Amino acid sequence: CDIMADVGGPGAPPSSTPLREIELTDEGPSLTLAQKFQGTTGLQVWDAGIVLLRFVASAPVAAVLATHPRVVELGSGTGVVGIGAAALGGDVVMTDLSEVLPLLRHNVALNAEIVARAQGSLSVVELRSWGVGAVPRELVDPELVLLSDCIFETTAATLLVETLEQLCTQPRTTVLLANEQREHPKNREAEAAFSAAAAVNFTVERVGREEQDEEYACDEIIVLRLRRKEADRPQQGRRQQDQDQKEDEDEGAGSGES
């Protein structure tokens, strides 16, 4: 699976910011995305993002997005998946680290017209970290959570699950995740850590090739569908209450300063 074979790659000039056109659907508009081949990996379009984009644009998920649901994307990078979801009608909040946000906001501006035509919306929020306390309360319990190629290191994989637990307190939220399986032992360990941690509080289902875009589906990139287990809602509710209480206490302390 080498979807990016025709668009350059790490060998491109370090200072370049090439524009890439990516078809949202075979019949529909294309996204215009800037990327950079230097700095963090979040500044490039990766194959897993394109695979997830095309799955999101498939009939069942696209039908949901047409109803303008709340969507949160973790580790948005260039925004290929989140912008695509908004171009299908979703009200999307994209999140990433501060060093990624300038390029992400640039790509939001590049695609403002097609998002507006679909009556979707896009906003960008910085998440300084993953883990307990990372999720602002206004992002909790969207209809859909998206993420691609975010499982690469064991500690980060565990923190990602903790973030998903805060973000998804009810089974009605669907998490769609795409990840390229790599042979390096570090990546394999991270995948195993994520799977073990996620299985505690989520049902995890692998999306079959028959559900994906046949032109883009490949064995090296898995697409997963996660939902919060019903039995864990009271426990997560207590966690969210503790987080809300801590935020209220922090706000109270701040208001007391002169």
Side-chain angles (χ1 to χ4, degrees):
C1 182
D2 194 9
I3 298 168
M4 292 186 65
D6 61 340
V7 294
S15 61
S16 66
T17 308
L19 293 179
R20 183 176 180 190
E21 300 289 326
I22 300 176
E23 291 183 344
L24 182 57
T25 65
D26 291 339
E27 301 80 18
S30 294
L31 306 182
T32 302
L33 295 168
Q35 54 183 341
K36 293 184 178 181
F37 297 118
Q38 62 178 359
T40 176
T41 56
L43 302 179
Q44 300 175 40
V45 177
W46 296 98
D47 289 354
I50 299 174
V51 170
L52 185 58
L53 170 70
R54 296 291 294 206
F55 176 60
V56 165
S58 65
V61 185
V64 173
L65 290 169
T67 67
H68 312 298
R70 290 176 57 231
V71 181
V72 173
E73 184 181 23
L74 298 176
S76 295
T78 61
V80 58
V81 183
I83 294 171
L88 292 163
D91 293 326
V92 182
V93 178
M94 300 190 296
T95 68
D96 215 315
L97 300 172
S98 60
E99 58 264 32
V100 179
L101 300 191
L103 182 67
L104 183 56
R105 291 191 173 106
H106 178 60
N107 284 336
V108 168
L110 288 176
N111 294 277
E113 184 177 341
I114 64 170
V115 170
R117 285 203 302 265
Q119 298 183 322
S121 68
L122 278 170
S123 59
V124 175
V125 172
E126 177 186 358
L127 282 191
R128 297 180 180 177
S129 64
W130 287 341
V132 175
V135 179
R137 69 178 71 180
E138 61 269 20
L139 299 187
V140 171
D141 291 332
E143 281 79 4
L144 191 62
V145 175
L146 305 171
L147 60 157
S148 61
D149 246 354
C150 290
I151 304 172
F152 50 86
E153 193 271 334
T154 301
T155 300
T158 303
L159 293 174
L160 174 58
V161 173
E162 292 178 357
T163 303
L164 289 173
E165 288 175 347
Q166 297 167 70
L167 194 56
C168 312
T169 71
Q170 303 179 48
R172 70 182 182 85
T173 298
T174 299
V175 180
L176 296 178
L177 178 158
N179 193 67
E180 182 169 355
Q181 296 182 302
R182 298 174 172 89
E183 294 301 325
H184 194 284
K186 182 180 73 172
N187 297 105
R188 292 297 192 185
E189 290 171 6
E191 292 165 8
F194 177 86
S195 297
V200 175
N201 288 321
F202 291 88
T203 61
V204 182
E205 172 193 3
R206 183 164 179 169
V207 175
R209 289 178 67 107
E210 68 279 0
E211 293 187 62
Q212 301 179 49
D213 187 305
E214 61 181 2
E215 183 179 351
Y216 289 83
C218 60
D219 294 335
E220 294 88 348
I221 296 175
I222 61 169
V223 179
L224 301 177
R225 184 186 290 113
L226 290 78
R227 289 191 179 92
R228 188 79 193 210
K229 293 179 180 178
E230 186 80 30
D232 295 313
R233 291 177 64 184
Q235 179 182 4
Q236 177 59 25
R238 289 194 295 273
R239 290 182 186 176
Q240 188 62 43
Q241 289 173 7
D242 292 343
Q243 180 182 340
D244 291 346
Q245 181 178 354
K246 183 178 183 304
E247 290 178 2
D248 290 339
E249 290 173 352
D250 291 344
E251 291 174 2
S255 64
E257 295 177 357
S258 57

